[in-house]
């Protein structure tokens, strides 16, 4: 569906009032369909909002431009993060949903981290699969205890371990409540990612209900 949006996207209404809306952000070469199943597995009943990245790299959709593997065009990262934030705000009023929890993989996780830092009120939190630092000099963000789960791969050939750790530290310094786990896997998603994501969402939801 593309109504009134520069993004191609899919929206699936949820059927559980206590399940948080998810913003699903695919990796390089993916599209709006990629993470729908993952979203339904980690948070059954959640409304799912899944845009397709608007940048094309050799025909592969992405959420921002890069100059080389792991070297980002940071001006574009900033611009695209704000553009994505506007899309989310529009979708929230169109569908009547709360601020979503971003669930991003690889390039999608990187734009989710950038969006948190650029426009903190858009997201309620994030699960970042195989993320790295998207901005070397981010603005001073106030993340006010927003929950963030960072899941990294010990043998990830794309995301160096120190870069993932630097991202976790950057988000913590901005006030997020970060849980960074390092799994014995590479860049691809694993069953462990899904299980951890599912447990984390359930625990985070329970904490929000209790507090
Ligand atoms: C990126 O470009 O965002 C990261 O290097 C991950 C990737 O998409 O390969």
């Amino acid at each position: 569906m593309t109504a009134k949006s520069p993004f191609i996207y899919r929206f699936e209404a949820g059927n559980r009032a206590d399940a948080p809306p998810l913003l699903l952000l695919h990796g390089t070469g993916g599209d709006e369909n990629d993470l729908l199943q993952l979203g339904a597995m980690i948070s059954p009943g959640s409304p799912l909002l899944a845009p397709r990245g608007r940048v094309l790299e050799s025909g592969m959709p992405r959420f921002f431009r890069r100059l080389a593997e792991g070297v980002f065009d940071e001006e574009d990262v900033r611009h695209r993060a704000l553009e994505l934030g506007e899309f989310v705000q529009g979708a929230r009023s169109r569908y009547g949903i709360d601020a979503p929890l971003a669930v991003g993989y690889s390039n999608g996780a990187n734009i989710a981290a950038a969006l948190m830092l650029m426009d903190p009120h858009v997201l309620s939190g994030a699960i970042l699969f195989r993320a790295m630092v998207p901005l070397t000099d981010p603005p001073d963000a106030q993340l006010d205890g927003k929950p963030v789960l960072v899941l990294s791969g010990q043998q990830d050939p794309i995301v160096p371990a120190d870069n993932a750790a630097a991202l976790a530290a950057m988000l913590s310094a901005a006030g997020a409540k970060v849980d960074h786990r390092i799994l014995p896997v590479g860049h691809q998603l694993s069953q462990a990612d899904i299980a951890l994501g599912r447990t984390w969402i359930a625990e985070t939801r329970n904490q929000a209900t209790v507090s």
Side-chain angles (χ1 to χ4, degrees), residues 8-156:
I8 294 169
Y9 68 96
R10 284 185 60 178
F11 177 75
E12 296 200 352
N15 57 14
R16 272 183 62 174
D18 63 338
L22 304 184
L23 174 68
L24 303 171
L25 300 166
H26 63 79
T28 299
D31 68 21
E32 65 278 14
N33 300 301
D34 280 19
L35 299 184
L36 291 171
Q37 208 182 350
L38 173 89
M41 280 194 286
I42 63 176
S43 187
S46 277
L48 304 175
L49 178 64
R52 182 190 301 181
R54 299 187 66 227
V55 170
L56 285 181
E57 181 187 279
S58 306
M60 296 185 296
R62 287 175 51 82
F63 286 96
F64 57 82
R65 273 173 25 91
R66 64 179 162 183
L67 308 174
E69 171 100 25
V71 184
F72 303 151
D73 174 343
E74 295 200 14
E75 201 182 314
D76 195 57
V77 175
R78 288 168 187 267
H79 161 69
R80 299 287 175 184
L82 294 176
E83 180 184 63
L84 180 63
E86 278 175 28
F87 161 76
V88 172
Q89 299 298 58
R92 281 190 59 189
S93 48
R94 203 170 307 133
Y95 299 115
I97 54 173
D98 290 340
L101 179 78
V103 176
Y105 167 65
S106 191
N107 180 247
N110 298 342
I111 195 73
L115 176 54
M116 285 202 94
L117 293 163
M118 292 293 299
D119 201 354
H121 70 286
V122 173
L123 300 174
S124 65
I127 299 183
L128 306 176
F129 296 108
R130 314 298 183 268
M132 55 198 294
V133 172
L135 292 166
T136 45
D137 188 18
D140 281 336
Q142 303 292 327
L143 294 178
D144 295 333
K146 286 184 198 277
V148 179
L149 176 63
V150 181
L151 292 176
S152 306
Q154 205 163 28
Q155 291 105 36
D156 190 333

Side-chain angles (χ1 to χ4, degrees), residues 194-209:
I194 295 166
L196 285 167
R198 187 181 165 107
T199 306
W200 183 87
I201 288 188
E203 285 172 2
T204 305
R205 196 173 58 214
N206 289 341
Q207 281 161 17
T209 314

